[in-house]
Amino acid sequence: MGSTRGRVRVGKYELGRTMGEGSFAKVKFARDIETGENFAIKILDKEKLLKHKMINQIKREISTMKLIRHPNVIRMYEVMASKTKIYIVLELVTGGELYDKIASNGRLKEDEARKYFQQLINAVDYCHSRGVFHRDLKPENLLLDASGILKVSDFGLSALPQQVREDGLLHTTCGTPNYVAPEVLNSKGYDGAKADLWSCGVILFVLMAGYLPFEESNLMELYKKIFKADFSCPPWFSTSAKKLIKKILDPNPMTRISIAEVIENDWFKKGYKPPSFEVEDVTLDDVDAAFNETMEPGNLVVEKREERPVTMNAFELISKSQGLNLGSLFEKQMGPVKRETRFTSKCSANEIISKIEEAAMPLGFNVKKNNYKMKLQGEKSGRKGHLSIATEVLEVAPSLYMVELRKAGGDTLEFHKFYKNISAGLKDIVWKTGGIEENE
């Protein structure tokens, strides 16, 4: 593409493509140069965390993830710090979100939904046994590995035991409204375990129905439905599944079924295999050191930059696909869009950038360009603030480029709408091949 970009090394890890980003962090693919093993590294900017007084919350998130060692929870291996950044080394999960599976294929069959629900309950039950409550359980936070094993992620809203007040309850309202238990919404304190189980019940309903049990465009109407547990199961649910879901989605936490009772339920136990794993002793010494401002310079990691052409190697190309299935790399022009999407083009990189800018500006987006990366920022605020889209052009082979559009902020449904609108203006640059379209 006529330019070079620095490939960054941090300690023994070589950093690759950005796989996600938020207000305070980026997640990048990484490779251990000593073993060749692949990881994900979450990179936090210390200055931003201090400015927004997020240090304690982020340290809590990291501490939470370090404490959890379970086959159905994303594992955190180590924490490092430089003068300006904190690096969290995580298990790399390549199978995509469980949410994407439903968005692409619709509802799951009852046996498949039960399999994922069993893994979810295993993970949540273990977290609770370690005094950790997730508080934002939803399909988007449930990932799948290459073998289809469920992994719970995103402990940004989790609560450790020290956050429980003298009454034994949590008092922070958080989470995603459609999945939140009624007692969390009324600000009177709640049992974190019972609240997490409610969210698990909503997830089970979504897996089997393909839609939410509580959904209203008006927030107050949504809350009313949640407070009354005003929902009905579709006719294809089995009788035993309906009974279990109604016991979980009981608006009264005192009479709501417990996780221990769920595990003993006949519907739940069908084909159930409890996970077997070794319990490890975990220390938070590296977490404390990473957040220690008086740390000796010799203990800080240093970023080393190596200049090389901007091309995608096989590792990066494969890591972009779900479950290492290369067929899912290239989407149809108007195919299903999640929180990121890609297309290929045989046009020049400069032509691609110009065409995206030309198509985005009439849709009300400000464009910031940095070489072959772009940031599209919506002028109007949507349901979750301004829609922000990160765009990057990558060389896959000579005269063949991959273009990635990824939601960096805002609402996923608004991103869907944006992609649908901008697609019309990009038809001329999208490379179409019969084989790929036929596979899709």
Side-chain angles (χ1 to χ4, degrees):
M1 288 165 61
S3 69
T4 60
R5 179 186 304 161
R7 179 66 57 104
V8 177
R9 271 183 55 184
V10 177
K12 62 178 181 177
Y13 301 97
E14 181 182 72
L15 303 187
R17 300 266 300 106
T18 299
M19 60 178 283
E21 57 186 297
S23 303
F24 303 98
K26 280 187 178 181
V27 180
K28 287 181 174 286
F29 291 105
R31 182 173 63 89
D32 184 328
I33 58 174
E34 296 173 3
T35 66
E37 193 176 353
N38 300 332
F39 296 90
I41 291 189
K42 191 171 188 176
I43 305 170
L44 308 172
D45 187 302
K46 286 184 179 179
E47 189 178 340
K48 281 187 179 179
L49 298 181
L50 286 167
K51 181 181 177 182
H52 293 274
K53 299 179 180 177
M54 296 282 288
I55 289 288
N56 289 337
Q57 180 180 333
I58 296 298
K59 186 177 179 182
R60 185 178 77 236
E61 174 183 353
I62 294 171
S63 300
T64 301
M65 296 182 75
K66 190 78 192 291
L67 288 170
I68 300 302
R69 289 285 186 273
H70 190 276
N72 297 119
V73 179
I74 286 193
R75 181 164 181 174
M76 190 184 82
Y77 291 95
E78 64 174 307
V79 182
M80 305 174 291
S82 68
K83 287 183 179 180
T84 58
K85 294 183 176 69
I86 291 166
Y87 304 89
I88 309 165
V89 183
L90 303 165
E91 176 184 1
L92 176 64
V93 181
T94 58
E97 296 175 5
L98 185 57
Y99 176 84
D100 293 342
K101 191 178 181 76
I102 303 164
S104 299
N105 306 323
R107 69 177 191 258
L108 306 182
K109 291 181 179 178
E110 194 161 305
D111 285 346
E112 188 177 14
R114 176 173 24 234
K115 179 187 72 174
Y116 290 126
F117 183 68
Q118 288 168 343
Q119 294 176 57
L120 173 60
I121 291 295
N122 285 336
V124 172
D125 187 39
Y126 179 75
C127 290
H128 292 174
S129 74
R130 301 301 298 263
V132 175
F133 309 106
H134 192 286
R135 300 199 293 172
D136 193 27
L137 289 165
K138 54 188 176 181
E140 293 92 329
N141 286 337
L142 307 179
L143 305 180
L144 301 175
D145 70 9
S147 303
I149 303 299
L150 181 139
K151 303 275 185 177
V152 181
S153 73
D154 198 348
F155 284 84
L157 295 171
S158 61
L160 287 173
Q162 54 265 38
Q163 292 178 273
V164 178
R165 293 190 192 167
E166 290 178 3
D167 59 6
L169 301 174
L170 293 162
H171 288 261
T172 308
T173 301
C174 59
T176 304
N178 303 82
Y179 294 88
V180 170
E183 65 269 21
V184 179
L185 300 172
N186 68 18
S187 305
K188 292 181 181 178
Y190 59 93
D191 179 328
K194 287 289 184 78
D196 272 353
L197 181 57
W198 171 283
S199 301
C200 292
V202 177
I203 289 167
L204 176 58
F205 185 100
V206 171
L207 294 178
M208 291 174 56
Y211 59 86
L212 286 157
F214 310 106
E215 190 163 29
E216 287 286 342
S217 55
N218 181 294
L219 201 58
M220 292 312 297
E221 291 300 318
L222 174 65
Y223 284 3
K224 284 179 186 176
K225 282 195 169 185
I226 292 172
F227 283 129
K228 294 178 183 176
D230 180 9
F231 74 98
S232 57
C233 295
W236 57 83
F237 281 23
S238 69
T239 302
S240 50
K242 287 180 184 176
K243 285 181 180 177
L244 177 59
I245 288 172
K246 286 180 179 177
K247 287 178 181 178
I248 297 173
L249 299 183
D250 178 348
N252 182 353
M254 302 300 291
T255 55
R256 187 179 306 152
I257 192 172
S258 68
I259 286 185
E261 290 169 323
V262 168
I263 293 172
E264 291 303 315
N265 179 272
D266 287 339
W267 182 88
F268 180 90
K269 286 198 294 186
K270 187 177 178 182
Y272 177 57
K273 294 179 181 177
S276 59
F277 59 98
E278 293 182 9
V279 178
E280 303 173 34
D281 290 328
V282 181
T283 71
L284 298 177
D285 292 348
D286 58 339
V287 179
D288 293 333
F291 285 86
N292 184 355
E293 290 302 314
T294 61
M295 190 154 93
E296 293 292 324
N299 294 325
L300 295 170
V301 293
V302 179
E303 293 187 5
K304 296 178 182 177
R305 188 173 294 273
E306 301 171 356
E307 297 299 326
R308 62 175 66 181
V310 184
T311 57
M312 292 187 77
N313 61 31
F315 155 64
E316 292 173 315
L317 187 64
I318 290 171
S319 66
K320 295 302 295 177
S321 71
Q322 292 186 4
L324 307 186
N325 173 12
L326 292 178
S328 66
L329 269 173
F330 309 113
E331 296 190 11
K332 269 198 305 188
Q333 172 73 4
M334 297 299 289
V337 186
K338 288 87 183 179
R339 290 196 281 185
E340 65 176 41
T341 190
R342 309 174 193 93
F343 64 84
T344 47
S345 178
K346 286 196 166 185
C347 297
S348 71
N350 288 326
E351 189 178 350
I352 293 168
I353 289 289
S354 297
K355 199 72 176 178
I356 293 173
E357 181 178 19
E358 185 183 312
M361 291 181 72
L363 299 177
F365 283 80
N366 295 318
V367 179
K368 291 182 181 178
K369 292 184 284 187
N370 180 16
N371 291 327
Y372 297 100
K373 288 185 175 183
M374 302 173 72
K375 195 71 171 276
L376 311 179
Q377 184 78 30
E379 294 172 356
K380 294 181 180 178
S381 182
R383 290 199 320 162
K384 296 181 181 177
H386 294 271
L387 180 60
S388 178
I389 295 137
T391 304
E392 185 167 10
V393 179
L394 299 127
E395 186 177 20
V396 178
S399 302
L400 178 63
Y401 297 92
M402 177 192 291
V403 184
E404 180 180 86
L405 289 89
R406 184 176 63 253
K407 188 195 77 164
D411 183 64
T412 303
L413 290 176
E414 288 170 10
F415 175 60
H416 290 197
K417 185 178 178 182
F418 161 82
Y419 181 72
K420 189 174 181 181
N421 290 336
I422 202 172
S423 292
L426 302 179
K427 285 180 180 176
D428 295 342
I429 65 169
V430 175
W431 178 47
K432 299 174 183 176
T433 68
I436 289 172
E437 290 188 343
E438 189 176 323
N439 288 337
E440 288 285 358

